[in-house]
Amino acid sequence: MTIPLSITEAAALLRAGRLSSAELTAAVLARADALDPVLGVYLDRYDETAMAAAREADRELAAGTDRGPLHGIPIGVKDILATVEGPTTAQSLVLDRGWGAGRDAPVVGRLRAAGVVVTGKSSTMEFAIGAPDPAKPFPLPRNPWDPATWPGGSSSGTGAGVAAGLFLGGLGTDTGGSIRIPAAFCGISGLMPTFGRVPKSGCVPLGYSQDHVGPMARSVRDCAAMLQVMAGHDPTDPDSATVPVPDFGGRLGRSLDGLRIGVVRAHHAPDGADPAVAVAFEAAVATLERLGATAVPVELPQYAEMTAVSLVTLLAEAFAYHRPTFRTHWADYGTPTRLFIGQGLFVSGADVVQAQRVRGMVRRALADLFGQVDVAAMPTMSMGALDYGRMDHLGDYFGLMHTSYWDPAGNPVLAVPMGFNDRGLPLSLQLAAAPFAEPLLVAVGDAYQQATDWHRREPAMVADGPPDVDGLPRPSGRVLPPDPPAPAEAVAATAQLVERAGMAVADDELAHLAGGYAGVSAAVDLLWAVDPGDRPPALHYTAVDPAGDGRAVDPAGG
């Protein structure tokens, strides 16, 4: 059978009686049989329970019980979110297999209550960070547009699975871009909701204050349908917002007349950028203008500084979570993961505090920006998918990824396809809005997709079948040593920090860690060069007289 491209289309066919959930689920599982040996989408499949859920959805729909547009739709769940069917591994040998066992994360439970069919756990980067390590016994995710390329991280399997039609929607998480990067590389839509809009309990943490759980699907309309179910307060997440859940699709189909689109061009065409990105971006802006929007050139406030906030905060929070396990299982982590998170050693408590002060300053500036424009538009990436043969140099491409700015800001951000480069790899448009303005954001993204067909393109392997996996390049899993090598004093200082943390790190990896100090230090120095302006204006306050007679005194002597 022909698998529908989108959740929206499949839902209409299910309700018209032209398709059953059992037929749809069997078809996507059969496609996974054919394509997944190459794509590495699934870490674990739940064929039996998926088919049982599909048959139950068919019985309910036939009896007139309709749980909404997701009823009977097969989805994949990133393997850092708990599901009742099996263990959550975070694609790591380190995580206790009892973590989350026998439970659904709240967001998974909400989707299941809406009638979705969970087909399995999709692959990720270890603990949602780093790069693939083929030395570990986990699937190697590949991009269906070109299996010699990376589908992006860390929601790799969800992105590739949606693009190849192995399921119609999926869950991803985003701490520095992990929904939007694979959405961009795989040519699908990905929505990072406002921080707190969707509960993140039941999700293995990466960065406590930057983790977002969000939907990934072929279309913006599909993402809105998923978010409608996923959103809402949950007391198990202390960061869960207590705001009402709106109708996320309530503005769909409206004209963009009068809408102000802030067009961001600064910082998004760095050295090494694919020239096709600028061409596609200008065409996307022109499309929004034809739809009635007014394009207004803007700059994002403190772009470099907020990117530094994202890095410093993520490193500190990730290291705080992993430090106890680093003491006993350092070598069990994949090399890219441990060497990235290990750089949290270089972030002090004072650095974290300064990062949060700068974060607050930029959030206030963004509130001003979104008082002037309704939505901001920029490229998601300045390149197409990265070749696996270049993964040893992954750090060289961070400047071409424009996602991390938004994670500490907490605004909702949408990534949608906007064309292809000369190699036939997808390119992506990024749209951002004010906090909790997802209905507006969805409306703009959907209007763009109604005027274009980039999101409806399918990789050739869907029709032609996969290539021979033995002929495809593999990442080495190596992390290249610093060039030039870290100074001896930096290595010695790193060794002291490692010892103080109670970790045992081999000499060669000490040199690698020390090589990361310069980059972290540069980010920290950038933050300390900023005066967020929120200090008390003077030392003038009341206190209790130490003599103990209860008189209020002014410590400044007034």
Short mmCIF file of all heavy atoms in Angstrom, two decimals, residues 126-157:
data_model
loop_
_atom_site.label_atom_id
_atom_site.label_comp_id
_atom_site.label_asym_id
_atom_site.label_seq_id
_atom_site.Cartn_x
_atom_site.Cartn_y
_atom_site.Cartn_z
N GLU A 126 24.37 9.38 22.26
CA GLU A 126 24.43 8.94 23.65
C GLU A 126 24.12 10.11 24.59
O GLU A 126 24.75 11.16 24.54
CB GLU A 126 25.81 8.38 23.97
CG GLU A 126 25.89 7.83 25.38
CD GLU A 126 27.26 7.25 25.71
OE1 GLU A 126 28.24 7.68 25.06
OE2 GLU A 126 27.35 6.39 26.60
N PHE A 127 23.12 9.89 25.44
CA PHE A 127 22.66 10.92 26.37
C PHE A 127 22.35 12.23 25.66
O PHE A 127 22.47 13.31 26.22
CB PHE A 127 23.66 11.13 27.51
CG PHE A 127 23.65 10.03 28.53
CD1 PHE A 127 24.71 9.13 28.61
CD2 PHE A 127 22.59 9.88 29.40
CE1 PHE A 127 24.70 8.09 29.54
CE2 PHE A 127 22.57 8.85 30.34
CZ PHE A 127 23.62 7.96 30.41
N ALA A 128 21.96 12.11 24.38
CA ALA A 128 21.51 13.26 23.57
C ALA A 128 22.61 14.27 23.32
O ALA A 128 22.33 15.46 23.18
CB ALA A 128 20.30 13.93 24.23
N ILE A 129 23.86 13.80 23.24
CA ILE A 129 24.97 14.74 23.00
C ILE A 129 26.08 14.01 22.25
O ILE A 129 26.14 12.78 22.24
CB ILE A 129 25.50 15.31 24.34
CG1 ILE A 129 26.33 16.58 24.11
CG2 ILE A 129 26.28 14.27 25.10
CD1 ILE A 129 25.55 17.76 23.62
N GLY A 130 26.95 14.77 21.63
CA GLY A 130 28.14 14.17 21.01
C GLY A 130 27.89 13.72 19.58
O GLY A 130 27.13 14.33 18.84
N ALA A 131 28.52 12.64 19.20
CA ALA A 131 28.48 12.10 17.85
C ALA A 131 28.44 10.58 17.93
O ALA A 131 28.73 10.00 18.98
CB ALA A 131 29.71 12.57 17.07
N PRO A 132 28.06 9.91 16.86
CA PRO A 132 28.00 8.44 16.90
C PRO A 132 29.35 7.81 17.21
O PRO A 132 30.39 8.28 16.74
CB PRO A 132 27.54 8.07 15.48
CG PRO A 132 26.94 9.31 14.92
CD PRO A 132 27.67 10.44 15.55
N ASP A 133 29.32 6.76 18.00
CA ASP A 133 30.53 6.00 18.31
C ASP A 133 30.30 4.56 17.86
O ASP A 133 29.63 3.79 18.55
CB ASP A 133 30.84 6.06 19.80
CG ASP A 133 32.17 5.39 20.15
OD1 ASP A 133 32.72 4.70 19.27
OD2 ASP A 133 32.66 5.57 21.28
N PRO A 134 30.82 4.17 16.69
CA PRO A 134 30.56 2.82 16.18
C PRO A 134 31.17 1.72 17.02
O PRO A 134 30.87 0.54 16.80
CB PRO A 134 31.17 2.86 14.77
CG PRO A 134 32.18 3.95 14.81
CD PRO A 134 31.67 4.97 15.77
N ALA A 135 32.01 2.08 17.99
CA ALA A 135 32.56 1.06 18.87
C ALA A 135 31.52 0.54 19.87
O ALA A 135 31.74 -0.50 20.50
CB ALA A 135 33.77 1.62 19.63
N LYS A 136 30.42 1.25 20.01
CA LYS A 136 29.38 0.84 20.94
C LYS A 136 28.30 0.04 20.20
O LYS A 136 28.08 0.24 19.00
CB LYS A 136 28.77 2.07 21.62
CG LYS A 136 29.78 2.91 22.40
CD LYS A 136 30.45 2.12 23.52
CE LYS A 136 31.43 2.99 24.30
NZ LYS A 136 32.14 2.23 25.35
N PRO A 137 27.60 -0.86 20.90
CA PRO A 137 26.67 -1.79 20.23
C PRO A 137 25.29 -1.19 19.98
O PRO A 137 24.27 -1.72 20.42
CB PRO A 137 26.60 -2.94 21.23
CG PRO A 137 26.75 -2.28 22.56
CD PRO A 137 27.73 -1.16 22.34
N PHE A 138 25.25 -0.08 19.25
CA PHE A 138 23.98 0.60 18.98
C PHE A 138 23.87 0.91 17.50
O PHE A 138 24.88 0.95 16.78
CB PHE A 138 23.89 1.89 19.80
CG PHE A 138 23.92 1.67 21.29
CD1 PHE A 138 25.04 2.02 22.03
CD2 PHE A 138 22.83 1.11 21.94
CE1 PHE A 138 25.08 1.82 23.40
CE2 PHE A 138 22.87 0.90 23.31
CZ PHE A 138 23.98 1.24 24.05
N PRO A 139 22.65 1.16 17.03
CA PRO A 139 22.49 1.47 15.60
C PRO A 139 23.25 2.73 15.22
O PRO A 139 23.40 3.66 16.03
CB PRO A 139 20.97 1.70 15.47
CG PRO A 139 20.36 1.06 16.65
CD PRO A 139 21.37 1.14 17.75
N LEU A 140 23.71 2.76 13.99
CA LEU A 140 24.37 3.93 13.43
C LEU A 140 23.34 4.65 12.55
O LEU A 140 23.03 4.18 11.46
CB LEU A 140 25.58 3.51 12.61
CG LEU A 140 26.35 4.63 11.91
CD1 LEU A 140 26.91 5.62 12.92
CD2 LEU A 140 27.47 4.05 11.06
N PRO A 141 22.78 5.76 13.00
CA PRO A 141 21.72 6.41 12.22
C PRO A 141 22.26 7.07 10.96
O PRO A 141 23.33 7.69 10.97
CB PRO A 141 21.16 7.46 13.20
CG PRO A 141 22.28 7.75 14.14
CD PRO A 141 23.05 6.47 14.27
N ARG A 142 21.51 6.93 9.87
CA ARG A 142 21.90 7.51 8.59
C ARG A 142 20.75 8.33 8.01
O ARG A 142 19.59 8.12 8.34
CB ARG A 142 22.31 6.41 7.60
CG ARG A 142 23.59 5.67 8.02
CD ARG A 142 24.02 4.67 6.95
NE ARG A 142 25.24 3.97 7.34
CZ ARG A 142 26.47 4.43 7.14
NH1 ARG A 142 26.64 5.61 6.56
NH2 ARG A 142 27.52 3.73 7.51
N ASN A 143 21.12 9.25 7.13
CA ASN A 143 20.17 10.17 6.54
C ASN A 143 19.55 9.54 5.29
O ASN A 143 20.27 9.14 4.38
CB ASN A 143 20.90 11.46 6.16
CG ASN A 143 19.96 12.59 5.81
OD1 ASN A 143 18.88 12.38 5.25
ND2 ASN A 143 20.36 13.80 6.14
N PRO A 144 18.22 9.43 5.21
CA PRO A 144 17.62 8.79 4.02
C PRO A 144 17.84 9.56 2.72
O PRO A 144 17.73 8.97 1.64
CB PRO A 144 16.14 8.71 4.37
CG PRO A 144 15.93 9.69 5.47
CD PRO A 144 17.22 9.77 6.22
N TRP A 145 18.17 10.85 2.78
CA TRP A 145 18.46 11.60 1.56
C TRP A 145 19.81 11.22 0.97
O TRP A 145 20.01 11.31 -0.23
CB TRP A 145 18.39 13.10 1.83
CG TRP A 145 17.00 13.56 2.09
CD1 TRP A 145 16.40 13.73 3.31
CD2 TRP A 145 15.99 13.85 1.12
NE1 TRP A 145 15.09 14.12 3.16
CE2 TRP A 145 14.81 14.21 1.82
CE3 TRP A 145 15.98 13.86 -0.28
CZ2 TRP A 145 13.63 14.57 1.17
CZ3 TRP A 145 14.80 14.21 -0.92
CH2 TRP A 145 13.65 14.56 -0.21
N ASP A 146 20.72 10.82 1.82
CA ASP A 146 22.03 10.32 1.40
C ASP A 146 22.60 9.57 2.59
O ASP A 146 23.06 10.17 3.55
CB ASP A 146 22.97 11.47 1.00
CG ASP A 146 24.34 10.96 0.54
OD1 ASP A 146 24.61 9.75 0.69
OD2 ASP A 146 25.14 11.78 0.04
N PRO A 147 22.56 8.23 2.56
CA PRO A 147 23.00 7.45 3.72
C PRO A 147 24.47 7.59 4.06
O PRO A 147 24.91 7.07 5.09
CB PRO A 147 22.66 6.01 3.32
CG PRO A 147 21.61 6.13 2.28
CD PRO A 147 21.95 7.37 1.53
N ALA A 148 25.24 8.28 3.21
CA ALA A 148 26.63 8.58 3.56
C ALA A 148 26.72 9.78 4.49
O ALA A 148 27.80 10.14 4.93
CB ALA A 148 27.46 8.85 2.30
N THR A 149 25.56 10.40 4.80
CA THR A 149 25.54 11.58 5.65
C THR A 149 24.82 11.30 6.96
O THR A 149 24.03 10.36 7.08
CB THR A 149 24.88 12.78 4.95
OG1 THR A 149 23.49 12.51 4.74
CG2 THR A 149 25.55 13.08 3.62
N TRP A 150 25.10 12.17 7.92
CA TRP A 150 24.51 12.10 9.26
C TRP A 150 23.11 12.72 9.22
O TRP A 150 22.91 13.78 8.61
CB TRP A 150 25.41 12.90 10.18
CG TRP A 150 25.11 12.87 11.64
CD1 TRP A 150 24.70 11.81 12.39
CD2 TRP A 150 25.24 13.97 12.56
NE1 TRP A 150 24.57 12.17 13.71
CE2 TRP A 150 24.89 13.49 13.84
CE3 TRP A 150 25.63 15.31 12.41
CZ2 TRP A 150 24.92 14.30 14.97
CZ3 TRP A 150 25.66 16.12 13.55
CH2 TRP A 150 25.31 15.62 14.80
N PRO A 151 22.13 12.11 9.88
CA PRO A 151 20.81 12.72 9.93
C PRO A 151 20.71 13.86 10.94
O PRO A 151 19.65 14.46 11.08
CB PRO A 151 19.90 11.55 10.32
CG PRO A 151 20.77 10.64 11.10
CD PRO A 151 22.14 10.77 10.49
N GLY A 152 21.81 14.15 11.62
CA GLY A 152 21.79 15.21 12.64
C GLY A 152 21.49 14.63 14.00
O GLY A 152 20.92 13.54 14.15
N GLY A 153 21.87 15.38 15.03
CA GLY A 153 21.64 14.90 16.38
C GLY A 153 20.97 15.96 17.23
O GLY A 153 20.92 17.12 16.85
N SER A 154 20.42 15.52 18.35
CA SER A 154 20.54 14.14 18.78
C SER A 154 19.30 13.30 18.48
O SER A 154 19.32 12.09 18.67
CB SER A 154 20.80 14.10 20.29
OG SER A 154 19.67 14.65 21.01
N SER A 155 18.23 13.93 17.97
CA SER A 155 17.01 13.17 17.66
C SER A 155 17.13 12.54 16.28
O SER A 155 16.26 12.68 15.41
CB SER A 155 15.78 14.09 17.74
OG SER A 155 15.70 14.72 19.00
N SER A 156 18.22 11.81 16.08
CA SER A 156 18.60 11.30 14.77
C SER A 156 17.58 10.32 14.21
O SER A 156 17.12 10.45 13.07
CB SER A 156 19.96 10.61 14.85
OG SER A 156 20.91 11.41 15.51
N GLY A 157 17.24 9.32 15.00
CA GLY A 157 16.34 8.29 14.52
C GLY A 157 14.95 8.83 14.24
O GLY A 157 14.30 8.41 13.27
#
